Amino acid sequence: MPVLVTTLEQLTEHGAEAAVWRRLGRNDEQTLTDALDNPDGDALYRRQYAQAEAEDERRRAAEREAQRPVYKRCGQEFTDQRWEETTAHRTAWNAGDVSVYGPCHADDVAREEAARLQAAAPPEPEDNGQEPGKPRRSLFRRRA
């Protein structure tokens, strides 16, 4: 509903058919018929509606990102696929450990493999600077 305003001074000076009417939301004074007319109403409505929808979408996306979980070890955010796996009711039971991220898991596997190889390897002989087969010289000699 358009709201029009004017002053009594302008009405008495110029008359009701003059450009003395100001429609709220517009910048200039218009005649009564021009002020009541809405030439860009539908286009303006569509443009404002599209802007409001875009703003709502940005707000929803920001809220969603604020709720995105992170991995406990590295602090990396869940990917969309991983987030869906851990929250979808039918697949949550095979999602695995939600605290372990792919690269973190790869690091864990590599660490475990290195520890297993180290435990399985025979101990290396100590190198104390002597040639093999020579008797070891002691710091304390027996006196003759």
Side-chain angles (χ1 to χ4, degrees), residues 14-32:
H14 303 288
E17 283 92 32
V20 294
W21 298 96
R22 181 177 293 268
R23 181 172 174 170
L24 297 184
R26 294 186 183 173
N27 296 330
D28 54 347
E29 293 179 342
Q30 302 169 325
T31 63
L32 183 60

Side-chain angles (χ1 to χ4, degrees), residues 95-139:
D97 185 5
V98 297
S99 67
V100 180
Y101 177 54
C104 294
H105 181 68
D107 291 346
D108 289 347
V109 170
R111 239 187 326 275
E112 290 170 4
E113 181 68 19
R116 187 183 63 77
L117 290 175
Q118 186 177 7
E124 294 183 17
E126 291 184 22
D127 183 25
N128 52 10
Q130 290 186 344
E131 294 179 25
K134 278 193 165 182
R136 183 176 170 189
R137 295 178 118 190
S138 149
L139 292 176

Side-chain angles (χ1 to χ4, degrees), residues 60-71 77-89 91-92 95 98:
R60 283 192 297 269
E63 287 174 359
R64 185 173 194 278
E65 287 303 313
Q67 294 175 354
R68 184 180 293 272
V70 296
Y71 292 100
E77 290 183 340
F78 276 34
T79 61
D80 288 337
Q81 178 185 358
R82 181 66 170 156
W83 193 4
E84 183 66 30
E85 287 173 356
T86 58
T87 56
H89 296 294
T91 59
V98 297

